[in-house]
Amino acid sequence: RARDAIAAADAALAASPAPAAAAAAELRYVRAQALFDLARHEEAGAAFLEIAKDPAAAPSGFAARARYQAALCAFKRGQWTAAREAARPLLSDKAMREEALWLLAQASSEEGGKALDEAIESYRRIAAEFPESSYAPGALFRLAHALRGRGDWAAAVAAFESLAEKFPKSDLAPRARFSAAHALGGAGQDDRAVVAWRTYLRDFPSHEGAEEGLWQLGVLLLRLDRRTEALADFDELLRRFPKGARRADALLWRGELLREADAPAPAERALRDALAANPREEVARDARFALATVLQKSGRESEAAELLQGLLDGPAAASRFTPGQFAWLAERQIEGGKFAQAATTARRMAELAPDDSWRQTAWTLAGRAERAAGRAREAEEAFRKACELNVLTTSAPEATLRLAELLLARGAAEEADKWFRLAVERCAAPELQAQRIWAYVGLGRAALARGEKDDAARYLSTVCLLYRDPEILPPVIEETARLLDELGRADEAAAMRDLLAKDYPDRKEGAAK
């Protein structure tokens, strides 16, 4: 009843005869305290300062108490420096020292910066000088947090552990154990952090931080490569907190660990459950990525490709792809006739490729997709980028040959001839015979495009005589025979047709490709 107290104090102070000096000081103190209780801190602070200066208040002890309350009013108003300055003189008063140290520590913490040193020192003094007081647990807790904020992990852990050991029944004890374990993990002392988390979970199994403790423990065990233990702790988290905030995170890692253990069916279930648990964006992204990997390994390539395609939109997601996964996805998309998607995938691969070898593969895939889509200009550009890189990967022969073919198709026979010659060199391996054949055919057709029919006939005749391929060569032999007829070399043309009849009796009639 603060307002009634103010009215009563005012009446008593105005009474006649006036109250004695000491009684008047006490009445003014009661009135100031009532103003404080009404949160009228500016008025209360001024009133307390007046009482502190009144000699009549000194014998009763109200002067020192009034100085403290004035400091507290400044604190309540956010005047941290004023509160600190008002509290310091009270440190020499034995009766007020504990409360003054607490107020000084609180105000210094709020002010921050250089004042944090005084906060830390004040908390230390409270814990050392008043170890049994009600302020001691809070002082140790705030001391530990302040030390952690300064990066003094070892001292912070010591303060947290001291609180838990000295005040095991305090409400702050489980929070101290939790914070100590967290601090150890933050300091990179993973083995000690694991022990600290297990101690916390053993001593306070029902504390509000238990779910987070299990999660942090699992993450630490992963960092220590103790994956079997980590899986057990994630399972325990899911058992104890089936609707908890960490459900999706735990399911994601359960799926990842089961995938690593070559258990695709339970891994798939865990990852799908993670996606159904309303996860954060980054958890959903990682779960889709892991699920795609499981599906890919299980032979469900179409579903895996669809999931991976959906992950390409965000830069954070795409950065998780390995170059091999990019290439696999682009090839599946080309095989499925999704040429535009394949080109996008390949270009993203080129953008994020770790080196020119993978970049050459990426641009070759982009060119293949664009060529299949009938986009000759874009295909030529992509193949040219692949060929201009100073590396020779397994993609180089394809890129070189396709660039030459596209150049020839648009009438750039001279430049095409250069790239066909390079393709002949790059397709020398036995497994690339089909591409080598097309490179020689390309040289013949480039010569023909330049009007050099004899050179064209020489290239085409050579490839027809040197190689055997029932798919490629029959129409090329027919093309060569027709060219020889045009040149009046009837005997050579007849020999070509005899070769065709002898070596490819089951050929299909048709124009040369």
Side-chain angles (χ1 to χ4, degrees), residues 65-98:
R65 172 57 62 179
R67 288 191 189 94
Y68 173 80
Q69 289 296 120
L72 188 57
C73 285
F75 179 85
K76 292 290 187 180
R77 296 177 65 200
Q79 298 174 339
W80 318 125
T81 302
R84 293 169 64 208
E85 290 175 354
R88 284 195 196 101
L90 294 168
L91 297 178
S92 59
D93 187 323
K94 287 186 177 182
M96 298 299 303
R97 181 172 173 78
E98 182 181 358

Side-chain angles (χ1 to χ4, degrees), residues 39-40 49 107 124-125 129 179 222 248 290 305 365 462 482 512:
R40 292 161 62 177
L49 281 176
R124 278 201 175 111
R125 286 180 178 177
E129 295 177 25
S179 298
L222 285 174
L365 287 167
T462 299
R482 287 194 299 273

Side-chain angles (χ1 to χ4, degrees), residues 231-311:
L231 180 58
D233 281 301
F234 290 136
D235 285 345
E236 177 68 5
L237 187 157
L238 292 166
R239 184 187 67 79
R240 289 180 55 188
F241 304 98
K243 296 182 180 180
R246 286 293 190 179
R247 173 175 169 77
D249 305 71
L251 283 166
L252 167 62
W253 271 109
R254 186 173 195 276
E256 287 276 25
L257 291 167
L258 289 168
R259 178 179 65 82
E260 290 177 8
D262 199 23
E268 181 181 344
R269 284 195 299 273
L271 293 168
R272 290 195 185 280
D273 286 347
L275 289 169
N278 192 28
R280 302 188 312 281
E281 181 180 347
E282 60 270 26
V283 174
R285 180 187 66 220
D286 291 348
R288 289 191 185 96
F289 195 91
L291 179 58
T293 306
V294 171
L295 293 170
Q296 183 182 354
K297 192 172 182 181
S298 301
R300 292 148 69 183
E301 295 189 346
S302 296
E303 193 176 353
E306 187 176 341
L307 274 171
L308 289 175
Q309 176 62 38
L311 291 169

Side-chain angles (χ1 to χ4, degrees), residues 463-475:
V463 77
C464 292
L465 294 170
L466 283 179
Y467 295 100
R468 293 290 180 272
D469 190 300
E471 294 293 325
I472 301 174
L473 284 175

Side-chain angles (χ1 to χ4, degrees), residues 106-373:
Q106 294 288 80
S108 300
S109 293
E110 292 291 346
E111 186 165 333
K114 293 182 179 179
L116 194 59
D117 290 337
E118 190 167 25
I120 289 172
E121 182 58 28
S122 298
Y123 287 133
R124 278 201 175 111
R125 286 180 178 177
I126 293 169
E129 295 177 25
F130 307 97
E132 304 301 324
S133 77
S134 60
Y135 285 114
L140 283 169
F141 192 75
R142 287 162 177 76
L143 169 63
H145 273 291
L147 291 167
R148 189 172 70 174
R150 286 176 46 170
D152 193 345
W153 298 97
V157 169
F160 281 130
E161 291 180 340
S162 176
L163 191 165
E165 290 165 6
K166 291 180 178 178
F167 306 98
K169 297 186 182 301
S170 168
D171 291 342
L172 291 174
R175 292 175 62 188
R177 288 288 186 201
F178 181 99
S179 298
H182 225 300
L184 285 165
Q189 298 185 41
D190 293 350
D191 288 312
R192 283 187 64 194
V194 167
V195 174
W197 281 120
R198 293 215 183 280
T199 300
Y200 162 74
L201 291 165
R202 179 199 67 205
D203 293 346
F204 308 102
S206 301
H207 186 246
E208 61 185 357
E211 182 189 6
E212 183 65 18
L214 281 166
W215 165 252
Q216 293 293 338
L217 177 57
V219 171
L220 278 170
L221 291 167
L222 285 174
R223 206 152 72 191
L224 291 166
D225 203 28
R226 291 158 62 177
R227 304 178 99 70
T228 302
E229 292 177 71
L231 180 58
D233 281 301
F234 290 136
D235 285 345
E236 177 68 5
L237 187 157
L238 292 166
R239 184 187 67 79
R240 289 180 55 188
F241 304 98
K243 296 182 180 180
R246 286 293 190 179
R247 173 175 169 77
D249 305 71
L251 283 166
L252 167 62
W253 271 109
R254 186 173 195 276
E256 287 276 25
L257 291 167
L258 289 168
R259 178 179 65 82
E260 290 177 8
D262 199 23
E268 181 181 344
R269 284 195 299 273
L271 293 168
R272 290 195 185 280
D273 286 347
L275 289 169
N278 192 28
R280 302 188 312 281
E281 181 180 347
E282 60 270 26
V283 174
R285 180 187 66 220
D286 291 348
R288 289 191 185 96
F289 195 91
L291 179 58
T293 306
V294 171
L295 293 170
Q296 183 182 354
K297 192 172 182 181
S298 301
R300 292 148 69 183
E301 295 189 346
S302 296
E303 193 176 353
E306 187 176 341
L307 274 171
L308 289 175
Q309 176 62 38
L311 291 169
L312 283 176
D313 296 335
S319 64
R320 277 207 57 182
F321 279 61
T322 65
Q325 285 169 320
F326 269 120
W328 176 87
L329 177 58
E331 287 173 349
R332 295 293 80 72
Q333 290 168 333
I334 292 170
E335 290 172 7
K338 298 178 179 178
F339 304 127
Q341 285 187 351
T344 299
T345 300
R347 283 184 166 83
R348 200 65 187 280
M349 176 184 175
E351 177 188 339
L352 298 173
D355 54 45
D356 281 350
S357 294
W358 282 111
R359 201 165 288 112
Q360 187 172 74
T361 300
W363 283 118
T364 301
L365 287 167
R368 191 191 304 173
E370 297 288 17
R371 181 170 177 262

